[in-house]
Amino acid sequence: MMQRLLLGTLLLSILSVSVTQRDLRGKVLIFPQESATAYVSLIPSVKKPLQNFTLCLKSFTDLNRAYSLFSYSTRSRDNELLLFIEKTGEYQLSIGNAGVNFKVPPLPYNPRHICVSWESASGIAEFWIDGKPLGRKGVRKGYTVGAEAKIILGQEQDSFGGNFDAKQSFVGEIWDVSLWDYVLPLKDMCDYSDGGNVLNWQALTYEENGYVVTKPSLWN
């Protein structure tokens, strides 16, 4: 009886989580409700330490509390690379558990196109929203972002791959997530929404966990 119960639990676990590789152009990941169990794990095409990066994504939400947009955690640091909204109009970028905040002026109730970049040599982090720069700040000069990571959309990791808080979960839609291992030229920042060489929305390997739905995008 116990063996059958264990086998059933194992099968349920396998069926509830599946690794997929897809071209997600024109698609969004929908996180329909507040939860500590709904998230998407992203599997990078290459695993390597990052001394530079550019991260771009698009999102839509009507949340007015704190939430995570992109959580990259290693075994030694839960906020190895984190894009987090502290409150409406205040974005935080964390590198190696050290964060800098960027304040965004009041914006219309529309989807957001966000790009952030960082380079280790200078420690300069740059933040763009909807094609407009919001300035540069310094964080973790000389640091290297670890390679062995859990990359999660929909939740903020307080430990490696878990320890989620529903009150920090994302509720809304995310799409066009791309990550490069270099800083995009200024003229290209926010012009690209795919083609990352670490994460590429057009050839994304990922796992859906819990209540997550893939649908055609309502926006360009």
Side-chain angles (χ1 to χ4, degrees), residues 65-84:
R65 59 160 170 79
Y67 60 91
S68 172
L69 274 174
F70 184 92
S71 177
Y72 179 116
S73 174
T74 61
R75 293 190 185 277
S76 58
R77 290 183 172 87
D78 54 346
N79 294 337
E80 185 76 340
L81 195 177
L82 175 67
L83 182 57
F84 191 82

Side-chain angles (χ1 to χ4, degrees), residues 100 142 218:
V100 286
L218 297 174

Side-chain angles (χ1 to χ4, degrees), residues 158-200:
D158 285 330
S159 63
F160 185 64
N163 199 14
F164 305 138
D165 179 353
K167 294 301 180 185
Q168 294 180 330
S169 66
F170 177 78
V171 181
E173 306 181 24
I174 294 179
W175 66 102
D176 285 355
V177 180
S178 283
L179 178 65
W180 294 260
D181 64 357
Y182 55 90
V183 175
L184 287 176
L186 287 177
K187 65 183 180 62
D188 296 331
M189 194 71 72
C190 279
D191 285 342
Y192 292 106
S193 56
D194 51 51
N197 63 341
V198 179
L199 295 171
N200 182 354

Side-chain angles (χ1 to χ4, degrees), residues 117-166:
S117 67
W118 172 81
E119 60 180 19
S120 175
S122 66
I124 291 299
E126 192 171 304
F127 193 102
W128 293 65
I129 191 162
D130 297 337
K132 294 181 172 53
L134 291 178
R136 300 163 174 164
K137 295 186 178 181
V139 60
R140 279 294 199 173
K141 181 179 178 181
Y143 187 72
T144 298
V145 174
E148 294 298 322
K150 295 284 189 182
I151 307 175
I152 286 178
L153 303 177
Q155 301 286 344
E156 196 266 320
Q157 301 173 76
D158 285 330
S159 63
F160 185 64
N163 199 14
F164 305 138
D165 179 353

